[in-house]
Amino acid sequence: MPTTLFRNGTVVTAERSFAADILVEGETIRDIAPTLPVEAAGRVIDASGMLLMPGGIDAHTHLDMPFGGTTSSDDFETGTRAAAFGGTTTLIDFAIQAKGTRMRDALDTWWKKADGRATIDYGLHMIVTDLGEAGLDDMDSMVADGVASFKLFMAYPGVLMVDDATIFQAMSRTAKNGALICLHAENGGVIDVIVRKALAEGKTTPIHHALTRPVTAEAEAVHRAIAMAEMAGAPVYIVHLSSEEALNQVREARDRGLPAFAETCPQYLLLSVEELARPGFEGAKYVFTPPLREKRHPPKLWEGLKQDHLQVVSTDHCPFCFEDQKSLGRDDFTKIPNGGPGIENRLQLLYHHGVNEGRLGLNRFVELVSTTPAKLFGLYPRKGALAVGSDADIVMWDPKADHVISSRTHHMRVDYSMFEGFAVKGNARLVMSRGDVLVENGLYHGRPGRGRFLKRAARGGAWN
Ligand SMILES: [Zn+2]
């Protein structure tokens, strides 16, 4: 079996940082020790001055996803390649059950999208739009197939939204089968009324996307989601949390000992609502849900990450090109495809603005971008860990590398960056997935189709 030895690096896990060598044999980590013999290794990589971290896990991406008459512009080939460049070696994407069909149909569809294209390993959440007759039993079959989490929408009425009865039933089922319910928490009914009023008043520009989705609509839905989970005796995970008021709901629940979890995304930590008011139609680049918020929110979200009121940072990567996709909503903000690109920049942004700027410790950084998503979504310790027997998903991180984020140099298949011109210090120097070097010194060595579907484990209620 091929072997690789990382020498003289600093190993960084969610728990601690220490000087050590790492020996990789085949697809897994064979040994971690202060000094390992060089002679035994096929390849020796000098990791002096570098951090060795478990590969990033992005638990929220939308590759090749149909939305509003178009499709997100990264497929599983381009999206997973861009992820690898940024140090992410695992992602969890979303299969979408179409109303009136079985979840299994959606799973087959998404397997086909990924098959032969993914270069990193991937799991799938199942978006449930319709429980129908067989839906609850179908959830059990999904868990058996390794789809150990479900997403339901409290927003987008008529498209993705389900009612409280459906959410409560699904939660009650996961209380038994050990899966995790993820919620898009915004009050879709109320938002719909506000949106129709705005359109009737001729308010059609991108900024109205944000102005029609109040913070209270998010906080109310987060509160309701947690209350239903409590009644069902199930854990709950809030996706893309964006505001202080929503965060307060999660914090209060956790203070009461409830298994409530939430993620946020770099855009909510680093950008604010002013972006949507850019001249011309430029604001459309920042149209996604929940919307960007006022400047008072990001410091609260950073504090939430530090205090463990928020547990995960994902991207909600859902790219649409500005020229020919975002432009669908030029005359009506409700027709702008919702989503933004970010799969490549998550570690760079969180490392620079978190670790370098003193908001997060290094171990907490690893916990947020890799270890906790692995634990919550049933991948640990195969993923999210640097330990003997774990998959050799290793990022060799150069803490001194300077990088300027730009659409001119990024690898995502989209014609703009939400973080254009952001200068960061710290970047992936080498990215390994199951023993294969995918990226080294800015060069790509990956291969479409080498990425595998990950059967994830249900936690069986063992939350901590
Ligand atoms: Zn999403």
Side-chain angles (χ1 to χ4, degrees):
M1 261 194 279
T3 53
T4 306
L5 178 68
F6 291 90
R7 282 189 81 201
N8 303 321
T10 300
V11 174
V12 182
T13 69
E15 295 81 28
R16 61 196 185 108
S17 311
F18 55 101
D21 295 351
I22 298 179
L23 179 67
V24 171
E25 186 179 80
E27 299 192 344
T28 55
I29 295 175
R30 166 79 182 277
D31 206 355
I32 302 177
T35 316
L36 288 166
V38 174
E39 305 78 51
R43 182 180 176 197
V44 177
I45 295 171
D46 179 17
S48 307
M50 301 285 154
L51 308 178
L52 299 170
M53 311 188 291
I57 299 176
D58 193 339
H60 190 153
T61 67
H62 300 280
L63 302 175
D64 199 359
M65 187 193 80
F67 186 95
T70 185
T71 304
S72 61
S73 59
D74 268 320
D75 61 16
F76 276 81
E77 182 173 343
T78 62
T80 58
R81 183 171 63 209
F85 270 100
T88 288
T89 53
T90 300
L91 57 82
I92 312 178
D93 207 89
F94 294 85
I96 307 176
Q97 177 208 18
K99 280 190 178 128
T101 70
R102 303 289 290 271
M103 294 175 203
R104 180 68 205 209
D105 303 331
L107 187 56
D108 287 339
T109 300
W110 259 262
W111 274 341
K112 277 199 203 91
K113 288 173 189 278
D115 193 40
R117 294 194 181 89
T119 198
I120 62 172
D121 294 345
Y122 67 97
L124 291 168
H125 311 278
M126 178 61 61
I127 291 177
V128 177
T129 58
D130 180 6
L131 276 181
E133 293 279 298
L136 293 172
D137 291 337
D138 281 359
M139 288 175 70
D140 292 348
S141 339
M142 287 297 109
V143 172
D145 273 326
V147 178
S149 46
F150 300 88
K151 182 181 180 188
L152 293 96
F153 282 79
M154 303 169 87
Y156 298 116
V159 188
L160 295 165
M161 190 170 113
V162 291
D163 61 14
D164 289 352
T166 301
I167 294 170
F168 182 69
Q169 284 178 292
M171 285 172 164
S172 301
R173 183 58 68 121
T174 61
K176 294 202 187 84
N177 68 24
L180 181 58
I181 296 282
C182 308
L183 282 164
H184 177 128
E186 284 185 299
N187 188 317
V190 168
I191 288 169
D192 220 31
V193 172
I194 301 174
V195 165
R196 275 188 273 124
K197 180 164 179 285
L199 288 179
E201 291 167 358
K203 296 169 176 168
T204 59
T205 56
I207 186 65
H208 294 287
H209 169 77
L211 300 179
T212 53
R213 306 185 86 90
V215 162
T216 311
E218 184 184 25
E220 182 280 325
V222 170
H223 179 87
R224 185 160 33 105
I226 293 170
M228 288 189 283
E230 186 177 7
M231 289 186 276
V236 62
Y237 181 92
I238 308 296
V239 297
H240 50 45
L241 188 140
S242 72
S243 66
E244 179 187 4
E245 285 81 343
L247 176 63
N248 288 343
Q249 299 298 328
V250 176
R251 194 193 63 234
E252 284 167 18
R254 292 177 61 81
D255 285 348
R256 287 200 287 127
L258 293 176
F261 307 94
E263 66 176 18
T264 190
C265 314
Q267 53 272 32
Y268 302 115
L269 293 165
L270 296 168
L271 303 173
S272 60
V273 67
E274 287 76 12
E275 305 288 357
L276 284 95
R278 286 180 177 228
F281 187 60
E282 291 280 309
K285 294 175 177 177
Y286 304 88
V287 167
F288 43 77
T289 57
L292 291 176
R293 305 299 192 183
E294 291 160 16
K295 285 195 162 72
R296 70 180 168 93
H297 296 275
K300 304 292 182 185
L301 299 179
W302 280 110
E303 187 62 19
L305 289 174
K306 191 175 178 180
Q307 302 293 341
D308 201 36
H309 307 317
L310 294 167
Q311 292 72 43
V312 173
V313 176
S314 327
T315 60
D316 196 9
H317 177 75
C318 188
F320 295 102
C321 290
F322 181 66
E323 283 304 326
D324 57 348
Q325 294 187 293
K326 289 287 188 179
S327 54
L328 292 168
R330 202 167 271 281
D331 304 316
D332 175 352
F333 71 88
T334 66
K335 298 200 165 62
I336 300 170
N338 284 191
I343 203 168
E344 186 169 349
N345 307 125
R346 182 177 62 122
L347 271 60
Q348 297 161 351
L349 290 166
L350 202 70
Y351 184 86
H352 183 79
H353 294 280
V355 178
N356 288 349
E357 295 185 350
R359 295 184 178 102
L360 301 171
L362 198 47
N363 307 104
R364 180 62 178 160
F365 166 77
V366 170
E367 194 168 36
L368 290 166
V369 300
S370 178
T371 305
T372 299
K375 287 180 175 173
L376 285 175
F377 292 108
L379 293 167
Y380 190 85
R382 179 177 171 193
K383 307 290 190 188
L386 290 181
V388 174
S390 292
D391 281 0
D393 292 4
I394 300 173
V395 177
M396 187 167 87
W397 189 261
D398 181 352
K400 295 205 164 66
D402 287 303
H403 178 66
V404 177
I405 295 171
S406 172
S407 64
R408 288 189 295 280
T409 51
H410 73 201
H411 302 86
M412 300 177 284
R413 191 162 65 189
V414 62
D415 58 358
Y416 75 96
S417 171
M418 294 198 288
F419 305 99
E420 186 69 37
F422 274 53
V424 294
K425 189 183 278 294
N427 203 359
R429 171 71 71 88
L430 181 146
V431 179
M432 175 180 274
S433 160
R434 280 187 285 101
D436 294 340
V437 173
L438 300 187
V439 174
E440 186 171 8
N441 296 321
L443 294 176
Y444 183 64
H445 304 285
R447 181 173 55 76
R450 68 165 293 288
R452 291 189 195 136
F453 173 70
L454 297 166
K455 286 186 81 163
R456 296 180 293 113
R459 289 289 306 279
W463 306 99
N464 51 41

